Amino acid sequence: MRSLKLAEGCKGTQVYALNPSAPPPPPPPGNSGGGGSGGTGGGGGGVGDKLLQHLSDHLRVNSVRSKSSRTYPPPNQANAVVSPEFLLPCGLPVTDLLEPQIDPCLKFVDLIEKMAEVYRRIEACPQFEKSGAYLEQCAIFRGISDPKLFRRSLRSSRQHAVDVHAKVVLASWLRFERREDELIGTSSMDCCGRNLECPKATLVSGYDPESVYDPCVCSGASSSSRSEMMNDDDVPGCSTSDEVDYDMSFCIGDEEVRCVRYKIASLSRPFKAMLYGGFREMKRSTINFTNNGISVEGMRAAENFSRTNRLDNFPPNVVLELLRLANRFCCDELKSACDLHLAHLVNSLDEAMLLIEYGLEEAAYLLVAACLQVFLRELPSSMHNPNVIKIFCSAEGRERLASLGHASFSLYFFLSQIAMEDDMKSNTTVMLLERLVECAVENWEKQLAYHQLGVVMLERKEYKDAQRWFNVAAEAGHLYSLVGVARSKFKRDHRYSAYKIINSLISDHTATGWMHQERSLYCNGKERLLDLDTATELDPTLTFPYKFRAVALVEENQFGAAIAELNKILGFKASPDCLEMRAWISIGMEDYEGALKDIRALLTLEPNFMMFNGKIHGDHMVELLRPLAQQWSQADCWMQLYDRWSSVDDIGSLAVVHHMLANDPGKSLLRFRQSLLLLRLNCQKAAMRSLRLARNHSKSEHERLVYEGWILYDTGHREEALAKAEESISIQRSFEAFFLKAYALADSTLDPDSSNYVIQLLQEALKCPSDGLRKGQALNNLGSVYVDCEKLDLAADCYTNALTIKHTRAHQGLARVYHLKNQRKAAYDEMTKLIEKAQNNASAYEKRSEYCDREMAQSDLSLATQLDPLRTYPYRYRAAVLMDDHKESEAIDELSRAISFKPDLQLLHLRAAFYDSMGEGAAAIKDCEAALCIDPGHADTVELYQKAREPNDQK
């Protein structure tokens, strides 16, 4: 049910309209607490006084000085005039200082070929190698910025992991991707309830991919039965000393430990040789064992283990003694038991720090794995522990880990990603990447490690080293690293050499957007703008060309045109750097209201964003701009949120919610609304952060359970989400609990009974208290279910009721009802109403195209692509029309244009079908393999793939 999928049904985004030609916003009333550029406040001095004082404090603390000499008015001047200069101590942006960041991920000239290659590898490799193949797929999906695909590949890699080390690393990585460390009241060793991430299941070696999604048993096991879980074989219970026929003793100091000779001999070959091999000890009933490094308690434990094979009741220090004894006398079974027992005792960072040294010294594989697991599950905070850093970062630490099989590429891949996110320029990041290079074996691993080290060195302005690492990555086959080679040369004043590298890359390969974007840095004038235009044409998702063109327009004093240029990309991609640039330019044109809106939205995406080339924190800019904008009460904010929500102004809505949270930061309801908006903008990482904050600030258990359910649902755990919803309902019936349950149940193909149950759940939700924004969503979803059940009149009632409470998207559902009633004109008119209310809404134009003739549809779809080039339906429609007109080559080109920057499953499947109909079997097979790399269970593609392969199979 498309309309019930939040990310799909609410995809359309619209940047709040900004009219560059409009006059500056009028100052608020004098009693509202703020003022315009020349306004005055009451009692406390003018806005200019406060603003200048803020700015003066900021400049003094941060030592940020303006490029030009400025004369500031006296701080007590009542009618200070506020100009952009005071808000922009660094001045306006200039084109000479702009350059795009080099992506630290793997990028390919032919991504589709690479995806097909990885799919073939996964299908063909032995089962014990599948985990590594899926890890390569993770690296590829990281480069296309799709967190869901990345998480799915990471789960598959964990599912097919064989050894304990790989299971520990991958399970910890999965946990980190959910950022459960940010959830208040949870422990790093808490279990999610599934073997996939269970901290105890990871310590069990072996290949069992079918069991990873089974419920684990650790959460139901009591501490008294834990030792039984740790032993694989059923063993007899301990016998009392009265029942044992002791026939010898070990003397340690003044005490004796009575033993059974053949039982001790069974511990190892050295003990057997000592007791039965013709040595003097064979004939003695008492053997002096004082100088063998074991205490009386340790020897008694060894004796007990020799009879029972158990370590149930011994304290850790005694088990550590047994571990040393086992190593000294080659007692393999005793060592394994000690290793496993100690591994299950590690539950905190302090315990891990203490025991890992013993584990490394005594070569205890599982104990070291358990300690590593705690370090990894405590990330990112453990990354700031100097002892942990020493183990991971130093060459000696890596060698010690490697001696036990615990220094893998996957481990340092995980650690280096966290370090780069935390501080790309830090020494820790460099050292981890150096260890990553040492662990790289396969070609793709070397490409990634070399390239990332080059990126970090470039950020650190160590250009010679950066060039060296980029060169090595390029020689390993990663052509994108040539961008880094060129940039490093450019930074060393070898501009023409940089130009030649990229020019050669464009000449020798199929051109991509990032190639032309990079070459533009080494050109001037019209040639540079031509390259940037070509880059946008080839890949409209690249942000740098829009920013450069906007700044170039600012330099020509065309502020309105600059804003319009940035609006193009912000209409379909909520990019923090573009929001910053638009705010920067808005301040220059004295549109402080618009600037404040963008900065608030920006801080929602990245709360710690540093603006103006890293000089000023975004929060500080909010404080400087707030007195210059209209002052709203919380009630005013709710009205603004309704208006902007209904006009599909998602960025404006984000700004309003940010404003409201500044007044009430603990409001979990607002955090949840924030997450919904972020999902509509396809900002999943930020949306999950807002959900976690909503959960942390929830005032009741039933509310907390709902937010936990949404977190689970959005990370692919549908059944667990349903369980949370049901638990919440059992505590208190609420709108959000019923809505979550209905939403999760509807995320599948519904039979009539299931549909009726979803209808009941939504009706129950509507009976519970909630605000109009959410009730409009529920009515819209209820209408969608009625449509699927062919209850069109009931659906129309739902959509009409939703519209009465300003749920503008209900126009789309109502249009669908008219269409199904064969009222095509009414459907078209309904979508036109949506377009009028939500201007520049690509999804509305796309949907309206279904209700008009071909020529009008083509016009609507062209506009949809212009507004949002990431929407795939227009490309598929145009390609199908071209195929109908027997223009096969043009149809392929239309699909290829979109696939080059958005490798979408439906686009790949359609192009594969076209290739198959044209008799180009090899091309069809490649597209099918790339599509199956995205979704290996896509039935239509599987069928087409089998059909396309039949001629090859017959050969």
Side-chain angles (χ1 to χ4, degrees), residues 475-597:
E475 289 168 2
H478 189 233
L479 291 177
Y480 178 65
S481 293
L482 290 173
V483 168
V485 176
R487 192 77 64 87
S488 302
K489 284 180 175 287
F490 176 65
K491 293 293 185 179
R492 299 172 67 199
D493 296 325
H494 301 153
R495 186 190 188 106
Y496 183 63
S497 178
Y499 177 86
K500 286 202 304 182
I501 290 171
I502 303 301
N503 198 51
S504 177
L505 189 62
I506 292 173
S507 301
D508 296 343
H509 301 88
T510 302
T512 63
W514 53 261
M515 293 180 190
H516 284 277
Q517 173 180 270
E518 188 65 24
R519 191 172 69 175
S520 72
L521 295 180
Y522 318 127
C523 305
N524 289 310
K526 292 183 179 179
E527 190 177 351
R528 170 180 286 186
L529 291 174
L530 183 61
D531 258 336
L532 290 173
D533 289 344
T534 304
T536 299
E537 183 180 346
L538 293 173
D539 185 353
T541 67
L542 295 172
T543 61
F544 175 74
Y546 299 94
K547 290 167 59 180
F548 186 93
R549 288 189 291 262
V551 174
L553 289 165
V554 167
E555 291 176 342
E556 296 174 1
N557 207 32
Q558 299 183 45
F559 286 84
I563 293 290
E565 180 66 28
L566 291 170
N567 287 346
K568 292 177 184 176
I569 188 167
L570 287 170
F572 65 89
K573 184 176 181 178
S575 166
D577 56 333
C578 288
L579 283 169
E580 179 205 20
M581 185 62 71
R582 192 168 69 176
W584 199 340
I585 296 171
S586 294
I587 293 172
M589 60 191 292
E590 301 186 39
D591 177 14
Y592 302 129
E593 199 87 47
L596 184 58
K597 179 193 74 170

Side-chain angles (χ1 to χ4, degrees), residues 162 229 312 425 633 677 752:
V162 179
M229 292 164 47
D312 288 359
K425 300 178 183 180
S633 67
L677 286 164

Side-chain angles (χ1 to χ4, degrees), residues 789-803:
C789 296
E790 299 181 357
K791 300 176 180 179
L792 301 184
D793 290 337
L794 290 174
D797 290 341
C798 287
Y799 293 130
T800 302
N801 290 335
L803 288 170

Side-chain angles (χ1 to χ4, degrees), residues 34-37 46-59 62 64 82-90 587 592-593 595-596 599-600 603 611-612 615-629 631:
S37 59
V47 170
D49 301 340
K50 298 175 183 177
L51 184 64
L52 290 175
Q53 186 61 49
H54 280 308
L55 188 58
S56 175
D57 293 342
H58 176 78
L59 294 178
N62 294 281
V64 177
V82 178
S83 74
E85 288 186 337
F86 301 130
L87 292 169
L88 299 174
C90 305
I587 293 172
Y592 302 129
E593 199 87 47
L596 184 58
I599 295 172
R600 287 190 182 280
L603 290 172
M611 300 185 65
F612 311 146
K615 298 294 192 303
I616 301 177
H617 197 288
D619 282 331
H620 191 72
M621 283 305 300
V622 169
E623 291 304 309
L624 293 176
L625 288 167
R626 197 157 50 87
L628 306 178
Q631 305 301 299

Side-chain angles (χ1 to χ4, degrees), residues 161-169 201-206 365-366 369-370 406:
V162 179
D163 60 89
V164 167
H165 172 77
K167 292 179 180 181
V168 163
V169 171
T202 57
L203 298 179
V204 179
S205 182
Y365 177 81
L366 286 179
H406 283 301

Side-chain angles (χ1 to χ4, degrees), residues 360-572:
L360 290 169
E361 186 176 334
E362 300 298 334
Y365 177 81
L366 286 179
L367 176 56
V368 173
C371 295
L372 285 180
Q373 179 164 247
V374 172
F375 297 156
L376 298 177
R377 291 173 75 94
E378 288 278 355
L379 288 169
S381 61
S382 61
M383 190 71 81
H384 301 285
N385 185 309
N387 295 318
V388 174
I389 290 300
K390 182 179 178 181
I391 292 170
F392 286 138
C393 292
S394 67
E396 178 190 357
R398 192 199 73 82
E399 289 172 3
R400 295 180 73 192
L401 292 173
S403 67
L404 290 180
H406 283 301
S408 65
F409 183 85
S410 60
L411 171 65
Y412 285 99
F413 186 12
F414 177 25
L415 292 172
S416 61
Q417 302 314 296
I418 296 172
M420 291 174 74
E421 287 181 15
D422 183 54
D423 184 359
M424 188 173 282
K425 300 178 183 180
S426 71
N427 291 334
T428 297
T429 302
V430 173
M431 289 188 288
L432 286 172
L433 286 171
E434 288 172 344
R435 305 291 81 79
L436 184 69
V437 167
E438 293 166 0
C439 293
V441 176
E442 296 188 35
N443 200 47
W444 74 268
E445 295 174 347
K446 294 177 181 178
Q447 292 177 10
L448 180 63
Y450 299 153
H451 179 73
Q452 290 191 335
L453 202 44
V455 170
V456 169
M457 290 302 178
L458 189 69
E459 286 291 315
R460 288 162 63 97
K461 300 184 179 180
E462 299 176 22
Y463 301 128
K464 190 172 182 180
D465 286 337
Q467 183 179 331
R468 177 168 60 88
W469 286 114
F470 282 131
N471 261 320
V472 177
E475 289 168 2
H478 189 233
L479 291 177
Y480 178 65
S481 293
L482 290 173
V483 168
V485 176
R487 192 77 64 87
S488 302
K489 284 180 175 287
F490 176 65
K491 293 293 185 179
R492 299 172 67 199
D493 296 325
H494 301 153
R495 186 190 188 106
Y496 183 63
S497 178
Y499 177 86
K500 286 202 304 182
I501 290 171
I502 303 301
N503 198 51
S504 177
L505 189 62
I506 292 173
S507 301
D508 296 343
H509 301 88
T510 302
T512 63
W514 53 261
M515 293 180 190
H516 284 277
Q517 173 180 270
E518 188 65 24
R519 191 172 69 175
S520 72
L521 295 180
Y522 318 127
C523 305
N524 289 310
K526 292 183 179 179
E527 190 177 351
R528 170 180 286 186
L529 291 174
L530 183 61
D531 258 336
L532 290 173
D533 289 344
T534 304
T536 299
E537 183 180 346
L538 293 173
D539 185 353
T541 67
L542 295 172
T543 61
F544 175 74
Y546 299 94
K547 290 167 59 180
F548 186 93
R549 288 189 291 262
V551 174
L553 289 165
V554 167
E555 291 176 342
E556 296 174 1
N557 207 32
Q558 299 183 45
F559 286 84
I563 293 290
E565 180 66 28
L566 291 170
N567 287 346
K568 292 177 184 176
I569 188 167
L570 287 170
F572 65 89

Side-chain angles (χ1 to χ4, degrees), residues 3 92 180 345 356 449 528 537 547 678 771 860 865 883:
S3 60
L92 287 166
E180 289 197 2
L345 297 179
I356 193 169
R528 170 180 286 186
E537 183 180 346
K547 290 167 59 180
L678 289 164
D771 60 75
D860 272 353
T865 299
M883 282 297 286

